[in-house]
Every structure is written in C-alpha cells, then in structure tokens.
Amino acid sequence: MADWREILEGQLLPNPPRLTVEEATILYDEADQNELLHTGLQMRRLRVPGNKVTYLVDRNVNYTNVCTINCQFCSFYRPPGHQESYTQSIEQISARFSELEDIGGSRVLMQGGVNPDLPLDWYTDLISELRIRHPSIDLDCFSPIEIEGIADVCQSTTKEVLLRLKNAGMHGLPGGGAEMLVDDVRLDVSPKKGSADNWLRVMDEAQQIGLTTSATNVIGFGESNEHRVKHMEKIRELQDKNLAQGIRGFTSFIAWPVQLENNTFGKRNKGKNKIQLGAGAYDYLRHVAISRLFFDNIQHIQASWPTMGMGIAQLALFAGADDAGSTMMEENVVSASGTTKTLAGEDELQLTILRAGFIPQKRDSNYLYLDTKILHEKVLPCPPPLQPA
Ligand code: SF4
C-alpha cells in the first residue's frame, strides 16, 4: 500500500496522476495536515493559476418551507398544513430580486422544500415572470429533490420538468441535496430522499440540456473518510462522462459540515449512546484539500464561510479553494440548524480575500469575471501574486 508521502509527492509533479479512491482515503486518514493543505494550495495554483479569489454577489430566496421529505438534519421545513408553513407570492419574491438589483447582484439561488400543493405551472409562471421583471439576474433554482417532487405532482418525468423550467427562463440547477452520495449514509438520514443515483440522474439530465450546475457535499453524518471520497468519486465519474460528450458539467464543488442544532439528527449527539457527529475545522480543511486534489475535472472549489466562519474560509483558500462563495443576503435552510451568519456584504467578502493575501474578483454564476471595484484598495494593498511552486 502506498505511503501518504509518496502520494503527495506525485501530486506535486507538473502532470500529477489522477488520485484513486484508495489513495485519496490514505491521504485523508494519514497525511500530515500541513503537507496536505500545502499540496492542495499547489494544486490550486496549477488548476486555477494566478492570485485571484472569486466571489458572487447574489441572494438566496427560500420560496416555501413546506416539505414532505423530513430529512433528519433539517430544521427548516414544515409539513403541509403546519401553522408556520409559508409559500411566498410572486410579489414577495420579486421584491427580494429588486433588493439584489440595488446592490449590483447577478444571480438568485432560489430553493425551498418539496411542496405537494404547487403544480408545475406555478413554477413555470414564476420563472417566466421573474425573467421578464428582472432580466439581468440569473435564475439558479431548485434542487434535484424539488425537481422530483414537481415531477410527482404533475405526473411527468424529471427531464420534462427541467425542460419546461429551462424554457421558462431558468438558468441553472444548483446541486443542493447531494449531502452524502453513499446510500448507507444517505438513506439513514434522509430515507425519503431516495438513492444517490436519483440525485446524479437529475443532475445529469440538467447538464444534458445546458443548465448550469454545481456539486455539493455535506460531511459529519458519522461517515468514514472513505465514504467522503466515494461521494467525490460519484461526482467525478459523472463529470468524466459529460465532459467526454462536450457537455460542461459541474462548475464547482462546495462542501460544508452538517449543522446539529434544532433537529432530530443532532439529538443523536446527545444522551448515553451519543456518537460523534459534525465536523470541525481540522476535518473541513482536510476535505477541501482532498477535493482539490481529487477533482482533476472540476475547476472551482468553494470555501464555506456560512458554516465555518470567515477565518476558516480564509484558511480554506490555503488548502486549495479558489472561490469565497457569495453574499447570500439571506439563508434559511442551513441556518435553521445552527449557523448564525447568513449574509456578507461585498466589501466584507473582498476584505476577507484581501486579508488572506489574494485579489478579490467578482464573478457571475458561470464563473465569468465581472467588473470589480476593489472597495479596500487604499486600505490594504494587495501582495504580489503567489509564485507557482
Ligand atoms: S433538506 Fe430540503 S428536502 Fe430535506 S426536509 Fe429540508 S427542505 Fe425538505
């Protein structure tokens, strides 16, 4: 069996070999933290040359909290008929878009629960109307499980639903709901969400019709390091398949630890038979570095400030991440289970990036660069670009 030092040395070669699941698991289990993170940073320099760290000015809209899936880690959803359930009107949603336009944003990430009372026409009417009222905002909406829910309600296929939404003006399908694409883990915490293959199939369909997609990963369900790498393998395989067909595939990979407050899942951490759940900074940074090394076919790795805080997000930039996420403006799903920070101003994201020694670069949902006014130019001079190893 290979030694972690030899594996890391191979990753520092000019043309590093593709990591196997076994090698990545050895790194996860055994590699020295500093050397692993350093190699992640060197790989970032190879795959995303230069010293820029991107960010997106966007907002979240959580249009409904009604959901029938009952994931154990979720504190956001309410069952149909619950007195705290809500579904926002188009006027309420449009007002949120206007707030984003006021600050020069370019994308809305709109996600909610699996609401059995909303037919497909409700979604297509919403998207069409938003497209007309807010033409400069990219609409990255829903997640594979919501698409499956809509397909169930309208007795159609997920592919047909995606096509209808795209024709109405939807720009992308974010990768929410992937959590852990290993069925032993996944079906334990979200039995109604269905197998990993469902998520992968819907994302595949979305990519086939040209929607912009991202891949996500939640860690800390009590899974092994090998499970975490196997999750990455499923995503890497789909990416290989679609890149070979000339399809763009996932723009990015975004991971964060499960939040354990206010939910059924977190209760497993308490009492006599408690098990160790969640993931701290040490694990999270290892995960960022491993993902940077493992994904030779996904260019962008995102740091998660909402769950880890700005300081750890800065460290993630030294583990291989090249993107600092987005302004969000509001977040109600993950935050319902524990995070407290749900928005960041553009100036705050820029300052976070600058103070880590990188250059802030505003982007859009497709990772294309947008004009960027550095708001702190006179306060903090940017250091010279990092030199490749
Ligand atoms: S995570 Fe999503 S699918 Fe699961 S219960 Fe919450 S809203 Fe529903």
Side-chain angles (χ1 to χ4, degrees):
M1 189 181 288
D3 176 84
W4 65 263
R5 289 176 192 80
E6 288 169 24
I7 301 169
L8 282 187
E9 277 167 21
Q11 294 299 295
L12 291 168
L13 295 171
N15 290 305
R18 172 170 268 201
L19 276 184
T20 65
V21 169
E22 187 189 24
E23 288 168 337
T25 306
I26 290 170
L27 291 182
Y28 219 137
D29 287 342
E30 300 174 16
D32 173 81
Q33 182 84 341
N34 287 336
E35 294 193 38
L36 178 61
L37 269 51
H38 168 76
T39 311
L41 176 60
Q42 297 301 85
M43 190 63 82
R44 175 251 143 100
R45 289 171 175 160
L46 188 69
R47 303 237 166 95
V48 189
N51 200 31
K52 289 186 172 173
V53 167
T54 47
Y55 66 91
L56 175 64
V57 178
D58 76 344
R59 79 165 297 151
N60 285 16
V61 172
N62 300 119
Y63 64 96
T64 183
N65 68 348
V66 177
C67 190
T68 55
I69 302 298
N70 313 357
C71 300
Q72 290 186 23
F73 55 84
C74 181
S75 316
F76 164 73
Y77 80 91
R78 296 291 180 271
H82 191 283
Q83 60 181 4
E84 293 170 2
S85 64
Y86 72 79
T87 299
Q88 292 171 348
S89 67
I90 182 152
E91 295 306 330
Q92 290 172 312
I93 294 170
S94 179
R96 286 170 162 79
F97 275 61
S98 298
E99 289 172 0
L100 177 66
E101 286 168 334
D102 289 345
I103 63 163
S106 64
R107 186 282 287 264
V108 163
L109 188 149
M110 186 161 64
Q111 291 185 317
V114 175
N115 187 330
D117 295 326
L118 300 180
L120 177 56
D121 286 349
W122 185 91
Y123 292 92
T124 52
D125 290 350
L126 174 68
I127 297 289
S128 308
E129 186 62 23
L130 291 171
R131 191 68 285 125
I132 293 165
R133 292 193 195 186
H134 308 282
S136 66
I137 306 289
D138 285 335
L139 298 168
D140 290 345
C141 306
F142 319 123
S143 62
I145 189 67
E146 287 164 88
I147 300 300
E148 287 190 74
I150 299 167
D152 277 350
V153 168
C154 69
Q155 297 287 297
S156 185
T157 63
T158 50
K159 189 156 194 180
E160 178 60 26
V161 169
L162 287 167
L163 272 172
R164 290 274 308 275
L165 291 169
K166 181 169 190 262
N167 290 338
M170 192 166 94
H171 169 267
L173 179 69
E179 282 103 37
M180 187 59 62
L181 296 173
V182 177
D183 282 342
D184 286 352
V185 181
R186 183 178 185 81
L187 298 176
D188 178 38
V189 292
S190 304
K192 288 203 230 164
K193 219 167 208 167
S195 75
D197 287 345
N198 285 357
W199 187 92
L200 291 159
R201 176 181 50 76
V202 177
M203 292 313 278
D204 187 12
E205 291 169 352
Q207 292 176 5
Q208 298 278 340
I209 63 169
L211 291 168
T212 292
T213 60
S214 55
T216 64
N217 185 195
V218 182
I219 59 173
F221 297 108
E223 73 281 352
S224 66
N225 291 337
E226 186 180 17
H227 284 141
R228 293 176 184 183
V229 176
K230 285 194 163 164
H231 172 98
M232 295 183 203
E233 183 190 30
K234 293 244 170 92
I235 291 168
R236 191 169 75 174
E237 283 175 354
L238 176 57
Q239 188 80 341
D240 277 345
K241 176 182 93 64
N242 281 342
L243 290 180
Q245 295 174 32
I247 291 167
R248 182 177 183 209
F250 298 109
T251 56
S252 55
F253 179 77
I254 311 153
W256 63 90
V258 64
Q259 304 298 299
L260 299 169
E261 300 300 318
N262 317 320
N263 55 47
T264 314
F265 186 66
K267 292 195 174 74
R268 296 190 192 180
N269 242 13
K270 303 188 174 99
K272 220 166 60 178
N273 299 319
K274 71 178 180 183
I275 50 173
Q276 199 57 49
L277 300 173
Y282 177 84
D283 255 21
Y284 171 72
L285 293 169
R286 288 179 90 71
H287 200 69
V288 169
I290 299 280
S291 63
R292 172 53 80 192
L293 300 178
F294 194 79
F295 286 118
D296 55 357
N297 56 6
I298 296 181
Q299 190 176 16
H300 300 293
I301 304 290
Q302 193 176 111
S304 175
W305 60 259
T307 55
M308 301 309 300
M310 289 299 183
I312 300 302
Q314 286 175 314
L315 284 178
L317 301 178
F318 291 94
D322 65 298
D323 184 85
S326 68
T327 51
M328 293 172 73
M329 290 182 73
E330 72 172 310
E331 201 289 324
N332 302 290
V333 181
V334 179
S335 58
S337 293
T339 63
T340 52
K341 187 167 172 54
T342 56
L343 79 165
E346 183 177 5
D347 58 339
E348 188 180 4
L349 285 183
Q350 285 195 359
L351 198 57
T352 298
I353 294 165
L354 281 165
R355 283 185 169 160
F358 296 89
I359 301 167
Q361 174 62 58
K362 189 171 171 180
R363 66 167 173 88
D364 68 9
S365 172
N366 291 316
Y367 282 78
L368 297 175
Y369 287 178
L370 300 175
D371 285 346
T372 308
K373 178 172 166 38
I374 303 287
L375 303 166
H376 298 276
E377 206 161 23
K378 290 185 182 151
V379 182
L380 282 172
C382 291
L386 294 171
Q387 296 304 311

